[in-house]
Amino acid sequence: MTKPAYKRVLLKLSGEALMGDDAYGINRSTIERMVADVAEVAKLGVELAIVIGGGNIFRGVAPGAQGMDRATADYMGMLATVMNSLALADAMRQAGLTSRVMSAIAIEQVVEPYVRPKALQYLEEGKIVIFAAGTGNPFFTTDTAAALRGSEIGAEIVLKATKVDGVYSADPNKDRNATRYATISFDEAIAKHLQVMDATAFALCRDQKLPIKVFSIVKPGALKNVIMGDDEGTLVHV
């Protein structure tokens, strides 16, 4: 078997990716399919860490959060990521995978706190580490958490899993002539005003020379294709 292209990766999942066709919440069949994709990668011996968003949970309370203080809303969002992380870890357990959830905010009765040496130990032991609660600070997105944790654990690449199969020259839903980039540099993406990640996360990845691969988590097997170095999605590099 051909060896994986990467030894250690950080997978960034959006909360919305867990919804499937539902309006909000977690679609069980969707999360089980994603876990099956993760299991394929884990069997290759790849050390895998995951950061997951909370948008799917927060959507259900969003109408009541209108006019709310931004910091308060962000803390609610962090709690939503903890809920998603627990659901993902449980689905992994049922699939026979060993994972650990580590939170950036203290909820020790539920999940253990994030401690970098412990996270590295888990990865080296072959466990999947799920980083919850973003960075633990308001005003920072889970994209930034992915860039930060990816840098901290020495990930070779950040895999940004979305519902779109890469970075396009224009919105492919609005422009039929939009073309997907196979590769693009950080500087080119900035010059072309392409939205890959939020500005803080993007700048951190560029400064740390940490490449980003944008691909579709909706496509079965796409995660494995990325790990094997196949032409899947868009690679953003220095």
Side-chain angles (χ1 to χ4, degrees):
M1 180 186 293
T2 305
K3 289 185 178 180
Y6 306 102
K7 172 64 176 174
R8 179 178 294 174
V9 303
L10 188 293
L11 174 64
K12 168 59 171 67
L13 283 172
S14 67
E16 288 79 359
L18 301 181
M19 296 190 307
D21 295 325
D22 298 340
Y24 58 86
I26 299 168
N27 182 285
R28 191 66 196 179
S29 62
T30 298
I31 197 172
E32 287 174 352
R33 181 186 57 74
M34 289 183 184
V35 167
D37 285 349
V38 168
E40 270 196 300
V41 170
K43 288 176 183 176
L44 298 172
V46 176
E47 296 176 1
L48 181 65
I50 299 174
V51 169
I52 190 165
N56 58 315
I57 302 294
F58 198 73
R59 277 193 186 190
V61 298
Q66 290 182 2
M68 185 179 290
D69 175 76
R70 167 67 189 274
T72 301
D74 281 358
Y75 279 117
M76 291 174 66
M78 290 180 215
L79 294 176
T81 71
V82 174
M83 295 169 67
N84 279 340
S85 296
L86 289 171
L88 186 61
D90 183 71
M92 288 182 178
R93 178 187 61 80
Q94 294 187 41
L97 298 173
T98 304
S99 65
R100 293 289 185 270
V101 179
M102 307 187 84
S103 172
I105 56 177
I107 325 176
E108 293 189 42
Q109 292 91 336
V110 183
V111 294
E112 62 182 289
Y114 167 67
V115 179
R116 179 175 176 269
K118 195 69 174 177
L120 292 172
Q121 178 186 329
Y122 286 150
L123 289 170
E124 290 164 1
E125 292 172 350
K127 297 180 175 69
I128 297 168
V129 181
I130 305 171
F131 296 121
T135 67
N137 301 287
F139 307 106
F140 290 93
T141 68
T142 49
D143 273 357
T144 300
L148 178 62
R149 297 290 182 247
S151 299
E152 287 181 307
I153 66 171
E156 297 167 80
I157 192 168
V158 171
L159 308 179
K160 184 173 170 61
T162 69
K163 290 186 176 182
V164 183
D165 64 344
V167 178
Y168 281 77
S169 57
D171 187 342
N173 295 317
K174 298 178 181 178
D175 186 350
R176 292 184 178 180
N177 295 319
T179 56
R180 178 180 67 86
Y181 295 100
T183 65
I184 190 169
S185 71
F186 283 99
D187 291 341
E188 284 180 289
I190 293 171
K192 295 177 185 295
H193 304 288
L194 300 175
Q195 189 65 35
V196 179
M197 280 183 158
D198 76 72
T200 304
F202 197 73
L204 179 55
C205 286
R206 182 182 62 176
D207 292 347
Q208 295 300 314
K209 296 180 172 56
L210 180 60
I212 305 166
K213 172 77 87 164
V214 182
F215 72 103
S216 172
I217 195 64
V218 177
K219 178 182 175 182
L223 177 58
K224 183 179 179 181
N225 292 341
V226 169
I227 292 295
M228 298 306 293
D230 296 340
D231 180 21
E232 187 78 52
T234 301
L235 177 66
V236 186
H237 58 89
V238 177

mmCIF file of all heavy atoms in Angstrom, residues 127-165:
data_model
loop_
_atom_site.group_PDB
_atom_site.id
_atom_site.type_symbol
_atom_site.label_atom_id
_atom_site.label_comp_id
_atom_site.label_asym_id
_atom_site.label_seq_id
_atom_site.Cartn_x
_atom_site.Cartn_y
_atom_site.Cartn_z
ATOM 1 N N LYS A 127 -4.287 7.809 19.546
ATOM 2 C CA LYS A 127 -5.638 8.262 19.856
ATOM 3 C C LYS A 127 -5.978 9.493 19.006
ATOM 4 O O LYS A 127 -5.106 10.289 18.660
ATOM 5 C CB LYS A 127 -5.768 8.615 21.341
ATOM 6 C CG LYS A 127 -5.549 7.443 22.289
ATOM 7 C CD LYS A 127 -5.687 7.888 23.733
ATOM 8 C CE LYS A 127 -5.589 6.708 24.689
ATOM 9 N NZ LYS A 127 -4.235 6.132 24.745
ATOM 10 N N ILE A 128 -7.256 9.656 18.683
ATOM 11 C CA ILE A 128 -7.720 10.846 17.964
ATOM 12 C C ILE A 128 -8.060 11.908 19.000
ATOM 13 O O ILE A 128 -8.808 11.651 19.949
ATOM 14 C CB ILE A 128 -8.959 10.524 17.112
ATOM 15 C CG1 ILE A 128 -8.587 9.487 16.036
ATOM 16 C CG2 ILE A 128 -9.520 11.793 16.462
ATOM 17 C CD1 ILE A 128 -9.783 8.884 15.336
ATOM 18 N N VAL A 129 -7.487 13.089 18.851
ATOM 19 C CA VAL A 129 -7.704 14.163 19.824
ATOM 20 C C VAL A 129 -8.680 15.182 19.237
ATOM 21 O O VAL A 129 -8.468 15.680 18.129
ATOM 22 C CB VAL A 129 -6.387 14.854 20.202
ATOM 23 C CG1 VAL A 129 -6.639 15.954 21.226
ATOM 24 C CG2 VAL A 129 -5.390 13.838 20.755
ATOM 25 N N ILE A 130 -9.741 15.457 19.992
ATOM 26 C CA ILE A 130 -10.747 16.429 19.558
ATOM 27 C C ILE A 130 -10.615 17.664 20.444
ATOM 28 O O ILE A 130 -10.830 17.594 21.660
ATOM 29 C CB ILE A 130 -12.165 15.844 19.662
ATOM 30 C CG1 ILE A 130 -12.262 14.533 18.873
ATOM 31 C CG2 ILE A 130 -13.193 16.847 19.147
ATOM 32 C CD1 ILE A 130 -13.559 13.771 19.101
ATOM 33 N N PHE A 131 -10.256 18.787 19.845
ATOM 34 C CA PHE A 131 -10.087 20.032 20.589
ATOM 35 C C PHE A 131 -11.420 20.790 20.610
ATOM 36 O O PHE A 131 -11.933 21.187 19.562
ATOM 37 C CB PHE A 131 -9.008 20.902 19.950
ATOM 38 C CG PHE A 131 -7.636 20.285 19.987
ATOM 39 C CD1 PHE A 131 -6.937 20.044 18.822
ATOM 40 C CD2 PHE A 131 -7.051 19.946 21.191
ATOM 41 C CE1 PHE A 131 -5.666 19.484 18.847
ATOM 42 C CE2 PHE A 131 -5.778 19.374 21.238
ATOM 43 C CZ PHE A 131 -5.082 19.147 20.067
ATOM 44 N N ALA A 132 -11.961 20.994 21.811
ATOM 45 C CA ALA A 132 -13.257 21.657 21.965
ATOM 46 C C ALA A 132 -13.092 23.066 22.522
ATOM 47 O O ALA A 132 -12.034 23.421 23.050
ATOM 48 C CB ALA A 132 -14.152 20.833 22.890
ATOM 49 N N ALA A 133 -14.143 23.854 22.400
ATOM 50 C CA ALA A 133 -14.230 25.216 22.960
ATOM 51 C C ALA A 133 -13.308 26.218 22.290
ATOM 52 O O ALA A 133 -12.911 27.216 22.895
ATOM 53 C CB ALA A 133 -13.988 25.195 24.474
ATOM 54 N N GLY A 134 -12.986 25.979 21.038
ATOM 55 C CA GLY A 134 -12.191 26.947 20.283
ATOM 56 C C GLY A 134 -10.854 27.240 20.938
ATOM 57 O O GLY A 134 -10.164 26.343 21.402
ATOM 58 N N THR A 135 -10.510 28.533 21.016
ATOM 59 C CA THR A 135 -9.277 28.946 21.697
ATOM 60 C C THR A 135 -9.526 29.203 23.170
ATOM 61 O O THR A 135 -8.577 29.441 23.923
ATOM 62 C CB THR A 135 -8.708 30.242 21.073
ATOM 63 O OG1 THR A 135 -9.619 31.331 21.334
ATOM 64 C CG2 THR A 135 -8.490 30.097 19.573
ATOM 65 N N GLY A 136 -10.814 29.189 23.572
ATOM 66 C CA GLY A 136 -11.159 29.519 24.954
ATOM 67 C C GLY A 136 -11.381 30.997 25.163
ATOM 68 O O GLY A 136 -11.622 31.451 26.291
ATOM 69 N N ASN A 137 -11.327 31.763 24.071
ATOM 70 C CA ASN A 137 -11.490 33.218 24.158
ATOM 71 C C ASN A 137 -12.556 33.700 23.186
ATOM 72 O O ASN A 137 -12.646 33.190 22.060
ATOM 73 C CB ASN A 137 -10.174 33.925 23.803
ATOM 74 C CG ASN A 137 -9.042 33.517 24.711
ATOM 75 O OD1 ASN A 137 -8.984 33.903 25.864
ATOM 76 N ND2 ASN A 137 -8.123 32.709 24.183
ATOM 77 N N PRO A 138 -13.367 34.683 23.593
ATOM 78 C CA PRO A 138 -14.330 35.262 22.651
ATOM 79 C C PRO A 138 -13.604 36.044 21.566
ATOM 80 O O PRO A 138 -12.415 36.358 21.699
ATOM 81 C CB PRO A 138 -15.174 36.193 23.533
ATOM 82 C CG PRO A 138 -14.291 36.540 24.684
ATOM 83 C CD PRO A 138 -13.435 35.321 24.921
ATOM 84 N N PHE A 139 -14.305 36.324 20.479
ATOM 85 C CA PHE A 139 -13.798 37.097 19.343
ATOM 86 C C PHE A 139 -12.811 36.317 18.469
ATOM 87 O O PHE A 139 -12.247 36.869 17.531
ATOM 88 C CB PHE A 139 -13.152 38.424 19.790
ATOM 89 C CG PHE A 139 -14.037 39.261 20.662
ATOM 90 C CD1 PHE A 139 -13.799 39.367 22.019
ATOM 91 C CD2 PHE A 139 -15.144 39.912 20.135
ATOM 92 C CE1 PHE A 139 -14.630 40.121 22.842
ATOM 93 C CE2 PHE A 139 -15.979 40.673 20.937
ATOM 94 C CZ PHE A 139 -15.727 40.776 22.291
ATOM 95 N N PHE A 140 -12.595 35.027 18.788
ATOM 96 C CA PHE A 140 -11.736 34.193 17.954
ATOM 97 C C PHE A 140 -12.557 33.002 17.457
ATOM 98 O O PHE A 140 -13.233 32.347 18.239
ATOM 99 C CB PHE A 140 -10.513 33.694 18.729
ATOM 100 C CG PHE A 140 -9.517 34.763 19.048
ATOM 101 C CD1 PHE A 140 -9.579 35.445 20.255
ATOM 102 C CD2 PHE A 140 -8.529 35.106 18.132
ATOM 103 C CE1 PHE A 140 -8.660 36.450 20.552
ATOM 104 C CE2 PHE A 140 -7.613 36.106 18.411
ATOM 105 C CZ PHE A 140 -7.680 36.788 19.639
ATOM 106 N N THR A 141 -12.465 32.724 16.163
ATOM 107 C CA THR A 141 -13.269 31.663 15.568
ATOM 108 C C THR A 141 -12.611 30.297 15.748
ATOM 109 O O THR A 141 -11.452 30.192 16.156
ATOM 110 C CB THR A 141 -13.448 31.911 14.060
ATOM 111 O OG1 THR A 141 -12.172 31.747 13.421
ATOM 112 C CG2 THR A 141 -13.990 33.301 13.780
ATOM 113 N N THR A 142 -13.370 29.259 15.410
ATOM 114 C CA THR A 142 -12.789 27.912 15.450
ATOM 115 C C THR A 142 -11.781 27.712 14.310
ATOM 116 O O THR A 142 -10.950 26.814 14.384
ATOM 117 C CB THR A 142 -13.879 26.829 15.399
ATOM 118 O OG1 THR A 142 -14.802 27.099 14.335
ATOM 119 C CG2 THR A 142 -14.643 26.766 16.720
ATOM 120 N N ASP A 143 -11.845 28.527 13.264
ATOM 121 C CA ASP A 143 -10.784 28.517 12.247
ATOM 122 C C ASP A 143 -9.454 28.901 12.895
ATOM 123 O O ASP A 143 -8.416 28.277 12.651
ATOM 124 C CB ASP A 143 -11.098 29.514 11.119
ATOM 125 C CG ASP A 143 -11.963 28.915 10.023
ATOM 126 O OD1 ASP A 143 -12.271 27.711 10.104
ATOM 127 O OD2 ASP A 143 -12.335 29.655 9.101
ATOM 128 N N THR A 144 -9.492 29.946 13.725
ATOM 129 C CA THR A 144 -8.288 30.378 14.427
ATOM 130 C C THR A 144 -7.820 29.300 15.390
ATOM 131 O O THR A 144 -6.616 29.047 15.535
ATOM 132 C CB THR A 144 -8.542 31.698 15.183
ATOM 133 O OG1 THR A 144 -8.917 32.707 14.246
ATOM 134 C CG2 THR A 144 -7.291 32.156 15.920
ATOM 135 N N ALA A 145 -8.776 28.629 16.053
ATOM 136 C CA ALA A 145 -8.424 27.521 16.953
ATOM 137 C C ALA A 145 -7.712 26.413 16.183
ATOM 138 O O ALA A 145 -6.736 25.833 16.672
ATOM 139 C CB ALA A 145 -9.674 26.977 17.630
ATOM 140 N N ALA A 146 -8.178 26.130 14.972
ATOM 141 C CA ALA A 146 -7.553 25.095 14.150
ATOM 142 C C ALA A 146 -6.124 25.479 13.784
ATOM 143 O O ALA A 146 -5.200 24.656 13.847
ATOM 144 C CB ALA A 146 -8.380 24.857 12.887
ATOM 145 N N ALA A 147 -5.918 26.742 13.392
ATOM 146 C CA ALA A 147 -4.575 27.210 13.046
ATOM 147 C C ALA A 147 -3.665 27.181 14.268
ATOM 148 O O ALA A 147 -2.492 26.784 14.180
ATOM 149 C CB ALA A 147 -4.656 28.627 12.474
ATOM 150 N N LEU A 148 -4.204 27.579 15.419
ATOM 151 C CA LEU A 148 -3.422 27.614 16.654
ATOM 152 C C LEU A 148 -3.045 26.211 17.122
ATOM 153 O O LEU A 148 -1.875 25.908 17.377
ATOM 154 C CB LEU A 148 -4.220 28.329 17.741
ATOM 155 C CG LEU A 148 -3.575 28.417 19.131
ATOM 156 C CD1 LEU A 148 -2.278 29.204 19.075
ATOM 157 C CD2 LEU A 148 -4.546 29.039 20.133
ATOM 158 N N ARG A 149 -4.037 25.328 17.226
ATOM 159 C CA ARG A 149 -3.763 23.968 17.696
ATOM 160 C C ARG A 149 -2.888 23.208 16.683
ATOM 161 O O ARG A 149 -2.012 22.432 17.067
ATOM 162 C CB ARG A 149 -5.069 23.210 17.936
ATOM 163 C CG ARG A 149 -5.946 23.810 19.019
ATOM 164 C CD ARG A 149 -5.349 23.632 20.397
ATOM 165 N NE ARG A 149 -6.240 24.184 21.406
ATOM 166 C CZ ARG A 149 -5.981 25.251 22.151
ATOM 167 N NH1 ARG A 149 -4.815 25.896 21.993
ATOM 168 N NH2 ARG A 149 -6.836 25.685 23.043
ATOM 169 N N GLY A 150 -3.133 23.437 15.406
ATOM 170 C CA GLY A 150 -2.303 22.798 14.393
ATOM 171 C C GLY A 150 -0.848 23.179 14.548
ATOM 172 O O GLY A 150 0.051 22.332 14.434
ATOM 173 N N SER A 151 -0.601 24.464 14.829
ATOM 174 C CA SER A 151 0.775 24.932 15.040
ATOM 175 C C SER A 151 1.363 24.332 16.309
ATOM 176 O O SER A 151 2.526 23.921 16.345
ATOM 177 C CB SER A 151 0.789 26.466 15.127
ATOM 178 O OG SER A 151 0.313 27.051 13.932
ATOM 179 N N GLU A 152 0.549 24.268 17.366
ATOM 180 C CA GLU A 152 1.031 23.784 18.664
ATOM 181 C C GLU A 152 1.420 22.304 18.642
ATOM 182 O O GLU A 152 2.386 21.899 19.295
ATOM 183 C CB GLU A 152 -0.031 24.007 19.739
ATOM 184 C CG GLU A 152 -0.199 25.468 20.145
ATOM 185 C CD GLU A 152 -1.246 25.635 21.231
ATOM 186 O OE1 GLU A 152 -2.380 25.146 21.054
ATOM 187 O OE2 GLU A 152 -0.923 26.254 22.264
ATOM 188 N N ILE A 153 0.672 21.513 17.916
ATOM 189 C CA ILE A 153 0.943 20.067 17.921
ATOM 190 C C ILE A 153 1.911 19.649 16.815
ATOM 191 O O ILE A 153 2.247 18.478 16.688
ATOM 192 C CB ILE A 153 -0.358 19.243 17.798
ATOM 193 C CG1 ILE A 153 -1.007 19.456 16.420
ATOM 194 C CG2 ILE A 153 -1.306 19.543 18.946
ATOM 195 C CD1 ILE A 153 -2.173 18.504 16.144
ATOM 196 N N GLY A 154 2.349 20.611 16.018
ATOM 197 C CA GLY A 154 3.281 20.288 14.942
ATOM 198 C C GLY A 154 2.635 19.564 13.782
ATOM 199 O O GLY A 154 3.270 18.712 13.140
ATOM 200 N N ALA A 155 1.371 19.883 13.491
ATOM 201 C CA ALA A 155 0.685 19.276 12.350
ATOM 202 C C ALA A 155 1.385 19.685 11.050
ATOM 203 O O ALA A 155 1.908 20.796 10.940
ATOM 204 C CB ALA A 155 -0.776 19.700 12.317
ATOM 205 N N GLU A 156 1.374 18.792 10.101
ATOM 206 C CA GLU A 156 1.997 19.084 8.810
ATOM 207 C C GLU A 156 1.074 19.896 7.913
ATOM 208 O O GLU A 156 1.535 20.554 6.979
ATOM 209 C CB GLU A 156 2.366 17.784 8.103
ATOM 210 C CG GLU A 156 3.404 16.956 8.842
ATOM 211 C CD GLU A 156 3.500 15.556 8.284
ATOM 212 O OE1 GLU A 156 4.164 15.393 7.247
ATOM 213 O OE2 GLU A 156 2.896 14.634 8.869
ATOM 214 N N ILE A 157 -0.229 19.836 8.201
ATOM 215 C CA ILE A 157 -1.209 20.526 7.362
ATOM 216 C C ILE A 157 -2.523 20.673 8.126
ATOM 217 O O ILE A 157 -2.829 19.860 9.005
ATOM 218 C CB ILE A 157 -1.445 19.742 6.047
ATOM 219 C CG1 ILE A 157 -2.231 20.587 5.029
ATOM 220 C CG2 ILE A 157 -2.117 18.399 6.312
ATOM 221 C CD1 ILE A 157 -2.249 19.987 3.628
ATOM 222 N N VAL A 158 -3.264 21.735 7.817
ATOM 223 C CA VAL A 158 -4.621 21.908 8.336
ATOM 224 C C VAL A 158 -5.586 21.529 7.213
ATOM 225 O O VAL A 158 -5.516 22.079 6.109
ATOM 226 C CB VAL A 158 -4.888 23.362 8.780
ATOM 227 C CG1 VAL A 158 -6.368 23.565 9.100
ATOM 228 C CG2 VAL A 158 -4.055 23.707 10.004
ATOM 229 N N LEU A 159 -6.458 20.568 7.486
ATOM 230 C CA LEU A 159 -7.451 20.135 6.505
ATOM 231 C C LEU A 159 -8.777 20.804 6.827
ATOM 232 O O LEU A 159 -9.407 20.468 7.831
ATOM 233 C CB LEU A 159 -7.601 18.608 6.542
ATOM 234 C CG LEU A 159 -6.311 17.792 6.430
ATOM 235 C CD1 LEU A 159 -6.623 16.309 6.507
ATOM 236 C CD2 LEU A 159 -5.573 18.118 5.144
ATOM 237 N N LYS A 160 -9.175 21.752 6.008
ATOM 238 C CA LYS A 160 -10.435 22.462 6.240
ATOM 239 C C LYS A 160 -11.547 21.773 5.459
ATOM 240 O O LYS A 160 -11.644 21.896 4.238
ATOM 241 C CB LYS A 160 -10.328 23.931 5.834
ATOM 242 C CG LYS A 160 -11.595 24.737 6.142
ATOM 243 C CD LYS A 160 -11.384 26.212 5.873
ATOM 244 C CE LYS A 160 -12.685 27.011 5.941
ATOM 245 N NZ LYS A 160 -13.346 26.962 7.233
ATOM 246 N N ALA A 161 -12.373 21.028 6.187
ATOM 247 C CA ALA A 161 -13.442 20.248 5.566
ATOM 248 C C ALA A 161 -14.705 21.094 5.474
ATOM 249 O O ALA A 161 -15.204 21.587 6.480
ATOM 250 C CB ALA A 161 -13.713 18.992 6.384
ATOM 251 N N THR A 162 -15.214 21.257 4.266
ATOM 252 C CA THR A 162 -16.389 22.092 4.044
ATOM 253 C C THR A 162 -17.403 21.324 3.184
ATOM 254 O O THR A 162 -17.236 20.144 2.918
ATOM 255 C CB THR A 162 -16.005 23.393 3.313
ATOM 256 O OG1 THR A 162 -15.611 23.079 1.966
ATOM 257 C CG2 THR A 162 -14.853 24.096 4.024
ATOM 258 N N LYS A 163 -18.432 22.041 2.743
ATOM 259 C CA LYS A 163 -19.397 21.438 1.827
ATOM 260 C C LYS A 163 -19.031 21.708 0.373
ATOM 261 O O LYS A 163 -19.704 21.251 -0.546
ATOM 262 C CB LYS A 163 -20.804 21.981 2.129
ATOM 263 C CG LYS A 163 -21.380 21.483 3.453
ATOM 264 C CD LYS A 163 -22.812 21.931 3.640
ATOM 265 C CE LYS A 163 -23.416 21.344 4.908
ATOM 266 N NZ LYS A 163 -24.835 21.731 5.088
ATOM 267 N N VAL A 164 -17.951 22.478 0.168
ATOM 268 C CA VAL A 164 -17.470 22.807 -1.177
ATOM 269 C C VAL A 164 -16.147 22.083 -1.400
ATOM 270 O O VAL A 164 -15.337 21.952 -0.484
ATOM 271 C CB VAL A 164 -17.276 24.331 -1.348
ATOM 272 C CG1 VAL A 164 -16.839 24.670 -2.760
ATOM 273 C CG2 VAL A 164 -18.554 25.071 -0.997
ATOM 274 N N ASP A 165 -15.911 21.598 -2.625
ATOM 275 C CA ASP A 165 -14.747 20.752 -2.882
ATOM 276 C C ASP A 165 -13.477 21.516 -3.229
ATOM 277 O O ASP A 165 -12.653 21.058 -4.034
ATOM 278 C CB ASP A 165 -15.064 19.751 -4.000
ATOM 279 C CG ASP A 165 -15.351 20.422 -5.337
ATOM 280 O OD1 ASP A 165 -15.607 21.652 -5.340
ATOM 281 O OD2 ASP A 165 -15.324 19.733 -6.367
#
